[in-house]
Structure formats: C-alpha cells, structure tokens
Amino acid sequence: MTASSIYATLGLSRNPFPPTPDAGSYFFTPRLEEDFAEIVHCIEARKGFVLLTGEVGLGKSTLVRRLLDTLGGKKCHSALILNTFLQDSALLSAIQADFGLAPSDSVEQGLARLTEFLIAGHQAGEINLLVIDDAQNLSVESLELVRLLCNLETGQEKLLQILLVGQPELEETLATPELRQLKSRIIKHARLSGLQKDEVTRYFDFRVNAAGAEGRLSIEPAATDLLHRATQGNLRRIHLVLDRCLYGLASTRASAVTADLVQRAVYDLPALGDEAVAVAKVTSGNHSRKAWVLAGVLAGTTATVTLASWGLVSQSGGRSTPTAVLVETNRPSETARSTASAESQASRFSPGSVPPAAARATTSGAMPSPRQTCEKQLQAAAAPDEVVHVHRLPDGMADSLKLSPRLCRFSVDKESWVAWLGRNNVRQIEAAEQATRKVQGKLKSMGLLDRREPDDGFFGSKTGEAFARFQLQHGLPPTGKPDELTFLLLEHQDASPR
C-alpha cells in the first residue's frame, strides 16, 4: 500500500502530518496567535529587530513561512537566509543576492549598495525584511554585521526589518558582553513552546479536517494523554507519531487513534529517544500502578496549591494530633494492602474515639506495628494544621532519605514505605509562589530545567516537563504533576538516585 493510497483509504486528500513545514494549515494557540500578531505589527511598523527562538521541532520554520505568506501581499520584499554557515562578507553577499542585488567587492561597498536599495524601497512605501533562520550558527562577527544592518534607519523608522530565528543557544550567544548592543535592539522576543495536553486533541482535529477528514477521524483521550507525555507537545514528534498511527488506522479500517496505537508508534520511532519509549512503557503498566488517594489531599487542588505544602513546614507553634493521609503509588501485596488499610483507618480517629477492631492493636496491649510506631513519632512532632503523608517508595530509594523527627521509614512485607509531616493544602495558597521557585531552583541544579527559564513561581509547561523527567529518573509515573512523594524525593536530592 502506497502512502497516497493510505491517506485515500482514510478519506484524506493529503498527509495531515507531513515531516516538512506546512504553513497552509497553520494551527494557532492563543499565545502563538498573540506572538504572531505582535511580530507582524513590529515589521509593518518598521520597528527593526525581532527575535524568535525555540527548541528543535517546535515549528519555527513553519511560523516563518506563514509570516512570509501573510506579508507577501503588503508590499513586503523579503530575503530568507537558510545557510547560516556563511559568515561575514559571504553572509552579506547572500543577503544582497536574495534582495536581487549584485555582489560587492568589499563589506563596505556591500553595505553602501544595500543602503541605497533600502532607501529607495522606503521612499516607495515598501517593507524590506531580512529573515535569518538557524541563526544560532552565526559567529559573533556575523552577528555584529547584523547589528550594523540594524543601524540603517531614517529619523523615525528602520530601513531594514530583521527577524533572527534560532534555537535557545542563540539567546546565550546574544547574552555575551560583546553582543550587548545588538541585544539591546531587540524590540520583540517570541519563545515557542510545545502544545499543552488540552491543545493536542484540537490540533489533531484541525490537521485531519484540513486534509479532508470532515470529522471522520478522532483521537481517544487516553491516546492524547500518552501522545503528549511521549512528545512533550513537540510538534515534529507529534507529526512523526501520528503519521505512523495513520498507517495503523488504514490497515485496520479504524477511525479512532487509540493509546495502544500511539504506544506502538512510539516504540517504532527511535528518533523520539529512550525517554519517550520509557513514558510509553510506564503508561502501558499503569493499570497496576494507578495512584489512589484516601483523604483527597490532592483532589481539586491546582499544581501551585499542592506545591505550597512542600518544604515550607513551620518549625514552631503548638501541638495537635494530625489527620493521617495515605497516598499509595504502587499497589502492595494483599497482606500489605490489608495492613495499610487497617492502619490508615486507625490513624483517622482522634485520641478519644474508639477505632475499629482491626485497628485496635495498641489499645489491646499488642506490640505496635512499625507503621504505628512511625506515625506516633510524627504525631509527637506535629504542629497545628499538619498532616501525616504515607507513601510506598520506589525500589532502591529508601536509603536516599535522611531520617529525622519529621520523617521515618517502615517496611510492610519487604516493601519500603515512608511517612512524613507536611502542611495541609487548604491554607497554603499564599506560599505557593515561593514553593514553586524552590522547585524550579532544585530542578535547575540537577540539570533537568533549563537555567535560562525564569524562577517565576509559576508551575507552567517547562517546569512540568522537568518535573516529569525527575519522576522518570526515580521510577515514578512521569505525570509532570505535583504529588507529595515526588516533592519528598526532590527535597532529598543530595543523594544520587539508584
């Protein structure tokens, strides 16, 4: 079966997920639409220098093509430089050639000829735009040439509009002292990011319907979740996976992309890397690793509110008996499950009430269990508005946690568990921003979050991706969402994971 026949089988006129930029069917997220409108305005208002950065595969080249298409009917002449391994005078010659000018014998002559061309265009009411793609490859000398081009102006407007497009390394280069003059001329910096999970389904529908599906094809919610986690919202990766999924749909005459189909596509695509495959493997086993929450400590809370309870526990105040919260990350054996259930029931009762018979070990004179001993230690150290959190630990992680009056470990049927004191989430909203900054700083120190990302106290997509990478390294489901056990392991990262 040929590629064209596969798409025809699905009722498509073309490939909705091509490997090359497709500006004809451009999907705008709200943030991207805002950035795009600002870039267009800066160019049309002749404000000068615009910067566009983003990781590989986020759609920089597609945005540039969409931009050139948008400006094409507005008396805009553009020069698009794709070969950024040209440097200095060779780069200037390429710019001249793209504007239809003859090459010059020297840089000075080339600048003079280009200036004459730009002045004539400005007098004719034209916009001249220079776009340099993959600008992270430019040398400092070539970027200094770009600065000279920025200086070509009238009293009110720039003669040449410049759009530098590159990977995040370009930001590092522009931050060097020798290029501070060029950086000061940037009037708009747009940073591209991956799709959010709730945008993936809309993106799928938009692309397949633009290719003629007319609502006949869909993607299941579980498939969307797995696709987003395996690709981190990266458009190029999404295209690779979904293009492979279309082959599966055509072979089975199905109309809905399933999680199983996405999983098999991820396995078959080494270009996605080991991390994406690991995400798919973890997801395939989630039926035996699904988290359950007894006291609802995370139910209905935002990521920021949950973060607020991490690392901000007061060391002073009165004492009270906290309510115990059991949050299990892996199902224990039947014996462990029944023991944990009975003990969690006992821990939810205040000292004056009578616990169920299954949980009355300490009141009947029996030897307290390791868990009861652990909880009693924590209750003695608890401050008002604190709760006891209890989790089963991933294999090999027990020794990385330092014991303290506020943290203890115990075993149930050879499984390691940890209990610790933490604040109740309800009253932690005011501390959320500070706690999120602490998480961001910790992730940066471990190399999991780009140091160039701001410590803004906002648990956004980049912080979530770094959070998921940490979870993956430590044998936890890489949800990218805050949970108490991940916070605990993150706080004790003076020890390396095993």
Side-chain angles (χ1 to χ4, degrees):
M1 184 179 288
T2 63
S4 57
S5 64
I6 287 171
Y7 304 133
T9 300
L10 298 172
L12 302 173
S13 59
R14 56 184 174 83
N15 182 3
F17 304 107
T20 56
D22 179 16
S25 301
Y26 196 72
F27 179 81
F28 280 107
T29 64
R31 177 178 176 179
L32 185 57
E33 189 170 21
E34 180 180 335
D35 281 338
F36 187 86
E38 287 187 32
I39 292 172
V40 171
H41 170 71
C42 290
I43 293 171
E44 291 182 334
R46 296 176 173 84
K47 292 189 175 182
F49 185 22
V50 176
L51 181 65
L52 172 65
T53 59
E55 284 290 354
V56 174
L58 289 182
K60 298 185 296 296
S61 297
T62 309
L63 186 147
V64 167
R65 295 193 182 192
R66 178 72 176 197
L67 178 67
L68 295 180
D69 289 346
T70 300
L71 295 171
K74 300 182 178 182
K75 297 184 70 174
C76 179
H77 295 168
S78 60
L80 176 59
I81 304 300
L82 301 175
N83 182 5
T84 49
F85 290 102
L86 296 173
Q87 304 291 345
D88 304 334
S89 59
L91 176 63
L92 180 58
S93 296
I95 294 171
Q96 289 179 279
D98 248 39
F99 277 126
L101 303 176
S104 304
D105 296 330
S106 65
V107 172
E108 291 76 12
Q109 187 184 59
L111 287 173
R113 186 170 296 175
L114 182 60
T115 301
E116 292 175 4
F117 168 79
L118 296 174
I119 291 174
H122 183 268
Q123 292 172 343
E126 298 171 347
I127 298 173
N128 288 292
L129 171 65
L130 169 62
V131 180
I132 303 180
D133 203 355
D134 278 332
Q136 74 276 355
N137 297 324
L138 293 177
S139 66
V140 172
E141 291 74 20
S142 295
L143 287 169
E144 181 63 17
L145 172 63
V146 172
R147 185 186 69 80
L148 293 176
L149 298 178
C150 283
N151 290 338
L152 303 177
E153 58 189 14
T154 64
Q156 296 288 328
E157 299 172 331
K158 298 290 185 181
L159 293 175
L160 180 63
Q161 315 313 308
I162 299 175
L163 175 61
L164 277 190
V165 183
Q167 296 169 21
E169 303 92 271
L170 177 60
E171 296 181 48
E172 295 181 1
T173 303
L174 291 173
T176 57
E178 56 265 42
L179 290 173
R180 62 184 181 278
Q181 291 189 53
L182 176 59
K183 185 178 180 180
S184 69
R185 286 166 169 75
I186 300 173
I187 48 92
K188 168 64 182 176
H189 182 186
R191 290 184 178 92
L192 297 187
S193 57
L195 294 180
Q196 300 294 322
K197 187 172 73 171
D198 62 339
E199 295 169 339
V200 173
T201 300
R202 291 193 290 114
Y203 184 75
F204 176 89
D205 293 340
F206 175 83
R207 295 293 308 183
V208 296
N209 290 332
E214 298 180 351
R216 291 187 297 270
L217 300 180
S218 63
I219 182 169
E220 296 180 352
T224 299
D225 182 68
L226 176 56
L227 178 63
H228 181 261
R229 281 191 282 159
T231 63
Q232 296 298 305
N234 184 287
L235 290 173
R236 183 177 298 173
R237 294 180 175 187
I238 288 174
H239 277 224
L240 286 172
V241 174
L242 289 179
D243 183 54
R244 184 63 61 93
C245 288
L246 294 182
Y247 283 75
L249 289 183
S251 65
T252 59
R253 297 297 194 272
S255 61
V257 175
T258 63
D260 181 65
L261 199 56
V262 171
Q263 185 183 71
R264 285 188 279 123
V266 171
Y267 284 154
D268 291 342
L269 289 167
L272 295 185
D274 295 337
E275 186 172 317
V277 174
V279 168
K281 286 181 179 178
V282 168
T283 303
S284 68
N286 263 355
H287 63 280
S288 63
R289 296 173 60 89
K290 191 173 293 184
W292 52 280
V293 183
L294 287 182
V297 67
L298 297 179
T301 61
T302 64
T304 306
V305 172
T306 305
L307 275 166
S309 67
W310 179 61
L312 297 176
V313 178
S314 171
Q315 300 300 323
S316 61
R319 292 289 180 261
S320 66
T321 302
T323 301
V325 178
L326 173 63
V327 184
E328 184 190 15
T329 56
N330 283 292
R331 290 190 186 276
S333 63
E334 290 299 323
T335 303
R337 186 159 57 246
S338 61
T339 303
S341 176
E343 291 175 347
S344 66
Q345 287 180 341
S347 64
R348 291 203 303 272
F349 285 84
S350 302
S353 63
V354 181
R360 271 202 304 264
T362 55
T363 62
S364 61
M367 182 70 68
S369 70
R371 173 175 178 151
Q372 291 168 333
T373 302
C374 181
E375 288 188 348
K376 185 176 181 180
Q377 169 192 325
L378 296 177
Q379 288 169 2
D385 198 32
E386 286 186 333
V387 293
V388 177
H389 300 286
V390 184
H391 280 271
R392 194 184 80 79
L393 284 166
D395 293 341
M397 285 303 304
D399 292 339
S400 67
L401 302 177
K402 293 181 178 179
L403 300 182
S404 73
R406 307 181 63 78
L407 182 152
C408 58
R409 300 192 306 264
F410 60 92
S411 297
V412 179
D413 282 4
K414 298 183 179 180
E415 294 178 337
S416 295
W417 290 69
V418 62
W420 73 98
L421 290 174
R423 284 285 188 92
N424 195 333
N425 293 298
V426 176
R427 297 166 61 182
Q428 299 308 304
I429 296 176
E430 293 182 357
E433 186 173 308
Q434 177 186 347
T436 307
R437 286 198 181 100
K438 183 177 179 181
V439 169
Q440 291 168 330
K442 195 75 171 182
L443 292 171
K444 286 182 180 181
S445 70
M446 298 173 64
L448 297 174
L449 180 63
D450 194 327
R451 290 185 177 276
R452 293 168 296 187
E453 289 295 319
D455 292 336
D456 53 10
F458 174 68
F459 200 94
S461 60
K462 295 295 185 182
T463 303
E465 290 167 9
F467 208 71
R469 285 190 283 271
F470 176 83
Q471 290 170 321
L472 191 64
Q473 286 182 0
H474 292 77
L476 300 173
T479 63
K481 299 177 181 178
D483 66 80
E484 302 292 344
L485 181 57
T486 305
F487 295 156
L488 180 69
L489 299 181
L490 188 60
E491 193 169 17
H492 286 75
Q493 277 313 293
D494 50 341
S496 300
R498 297 188 172 195

